[in-house]
Amino acid sequence: MIQDNEIQSKVSPFAMRKNEIKVFDGKDGYVSMNQILAKINSGVINDIHFKIIELINEFDFLTSRQLLQLLKINEVQIKDQGALNRKLDQLMKNKIITRYYFKNDDGMSDYRIYCLEKMGKYILTSREIQSTWQPSDVAKPIEIIKKKLSANQLLIAYMTKVKGFKSYKNKPELTAKTLGKKFKAGLTITIEYESKDINFIYESIRRENSWEKKLADRLLYYRDFYKNFVSGDSGFALPPQLVLICEDTKHMAEVFKEIFVNKLEIQGVNIYYTTDLLQNEESMQKTLSAFAEQDGKYKLINLNAKLLA
């Protein structure tokens, strides 16, 4: 598997591209539950397969590289990417998971996205593992999938590179009390630093159609959440730090401009920014930035976040 610091790409693989479509790359045909049970009983589908299914269920969408990284973090013994790909093919042939790739004017993506199929949910349910999968999940648009993939990659980077990494939660539920709305953030991460728990909320922003309006709508929820925050809300003792994951440095400036021009700032909250490719750095200590006013102009300031070392 190629290491993060060996990746030479200058454009995020999870950035939106013009005229992009999602293409089915799974297996057609019908497989019965009895056929799957026979393969489970004979050991053809084993504990490693089950762990793969559980991870895909937890993260919704994963690339094969992300899956291999997560398996290694979970200390699952698997030889290499080729061995994992063979197990993924077995699961696809049995309609337990499925696969897609993206295609645009410049060609197809160099990675595949894996997600759960109906049989996968049946297997998880039989093992008393909760799954919120529903048939409409496979119809989710590209921007939602790429937001999830970018958040996944950030989480994996923190899990493997931040000494104080403590815990995470995918799609945590927050409450906008005044608006009377519950909404799900992208990801929360807890870092232990100097014997204290520091919480971060990460929200992935993509250059999708009408992304500016969607950003504004999202920030209204966050503004409500922070304005009415009291200790204990959504399990936080103190207000968590909000971080926006952008496609690139230029996108960070575009996002900040939308927030500033449309007066979407959150009182008392200094929003931090990062990008997809910054997660490939050897250390996460200098991957966060914030905009600050200097000499009458706002400039992007790189932060030295020692707690992310």
Side-chain angles (χ1 to χ4, degrees):
M1 179 179 68
I2 186 170
Q3 300 302 308
D4 286 353
N5 58 7
E6 297 173 332
I7 296 174
Q8 301 296 319
S9 176
K10 296 186 190 244
V11 179
S12 168
F14 311 132
M16 298 298 291
R17 287 162 170 78
K18 189 176 180 181
N19 296 327
E20 195 167 35
I21 59 173
K22 183 177 69 176
V23 181
F24 175 73
D25 193 39
K27 303 293 183 182
D28 291 318
Y30 172 76
V31 179
S32 71
M33 182 54 75
N34 286 336
Q35 289 174 299
I36 294 173
L37 289 174
K39 291 181 180 180
I40 293 173
N41 292 333
S42 65
V44 174
I45 296 176
N46 55 37
D47 287 344
I48 295 178
H49 292 94
F50 291 138
K51 189 59 182 178
I52 291 170
I53 299 167
E54 289 175 23
L55 286 170
I56 293 174
N57 175 58
E58 179 184 356
F59 287 88
D60 295 338
F61 300 97
L62 286 166
T63 67
S64 58
R65 182 174 183 270
Q66 289 176 347
L67 259 171
L68 183 60
Q69 289 174 302
L70 288 167
L71 287 168
K72 289 183 179 296
I73 289 168
N74 283 272
E75 299 182 345
V76 175
Q77 298 299 315
I78 189 160
K79 184 178 179 183
D80 53 25
Q81 192 73 63
L84 171 59
N85 290 343
R86 287 189 289 275
K87 292 190 180 299
L88 290 170
D89 282 340
Q90 289 175 320
L91 291 172
M92 282 196 299
K93 286 177 182 176
N94 287 284
K95 306 292 287 181
I96 295 169
I97 64 172
T98 193
R99 181 173 69 184
Y100 293 87
Y101 64 85
F102 300 130
K103 186 177 180 181
N104 58 61
D105 293 344
D106 297 324
M108 65 175 65
S109 58
D110 57 3
Y111 61 90
R112 300 293 187 269
I113 310 102
Y114 295 86
C115 56
L116 213 59
E117 273 269 33
K118 180 171 63 176
M119 290 299 186
K121 179 170 183 174
Y122 289 165
I123 289 173
L124 291 168
T125 302
S126 70
R127 295 169 67 85
E128 298 185 351
I129 297 172
Q130 184 179 5
S131 175
T132 59
W133 180 91
Q134 50 190 354
S136 60
D137 284 1
V138 297
K140 285 184 176 177
I142 294 171
E143 59 269 18
I144 289 180
I145 297 173
K146 288 196 170 185
K147 286 175 184 179
K148 194 71 187 73
L149 295 174
S150 70
N152 291 347
Q153 202 57 53
L154 180 142
L155 173 59
I156 291 168
Y158 278 46
M159 293 173 88
T160 54
K161 301 173 188 178
V162 177
K163 293 177 184 177
F165 176 86
K166 186 174 181 179
S167 62
Y168 71 93
K169 187 173 183 179
N170 280 309
K171 299 183 293 186
E173 188 174 79
L174 309 180
T175 302
K177 295 177 182 176
T178 302
L179 295 172
K181 296 280 188 181
K182 291 186 181 295
F183 67 102
K184 291 186 178 180
L187 169 72
T188 58
I189 292 177
T190 300
I191 306 295
E192 186 174 355
Y193 183 67
E194 296 181 346
S195 301
K196 295 180 181 179
D197 286 350
I198 312 297
N199 295 297
F200 292 82
I201 292 180
Y202 296 86
E203 191 73 33
S204 183
I205 312 297
R206 302 293 97 175
R207 288 187 180 102
E208 58 192 291
N209 290 333
S210 303
W211 71 266
E212 299 93 341
K213 182 181 184 307
K214 293 175 183 177
L215 171 66
D217 292 343
R218 196 73 172 158
L219 287 175
L220 288 177
Y221 286 145
Y222 276 110
R223 178 187 284 177
D224 192 334
F225 169 74
Y226 281 104
K227 181 181 178 181
N228 296 289
F229 180 87
V230 295
S231 183
D233 281 356
S234 300
F236 300 115
L238 297 171
Q241 173 62 54
L242 178 60
V243 182
L244 303 183
I245 312 171
C246 301
E247 294 186 3
D248 48 52
T249 303
K250 182 182 177 183
H251 191 211
M252 286 197 288
E254 294 167 355
V255 170
F256 173 75
K257 182 180 178 181
E258 286 296 318
I259 293 173
F260 181 76
V261 170
N262 295 293
K263 304 186 185 308
L264 296 169
E265 299 95 336
I266 302 172
Q267 187 174 1
V269 177
N270 187 13
I271 298 174
Y272 291 171
Y273 298 78
T274 190
T275 68
D276 296 344
L277 293 182
L278 282 172
Q279 312 320 310
N280 296 331
E281 297 292 322
E282 291 187 15
S283 169
M284 297 291 98
Q285 187 169 342
K286 295 185 178 181
T287 57
L288 297 180
S289 298
F291 285 88
E293 189 174 3
Q294 293 184 352
D295 302 322
K297 294 183 179 180
Y298 280 94
K299 295 182 180 179
L300 185 65
I301 307 300
N302 185 248
L303 305 174
N304 184 16
K306 294 181 180 179
L307 76 168
L308 299 184

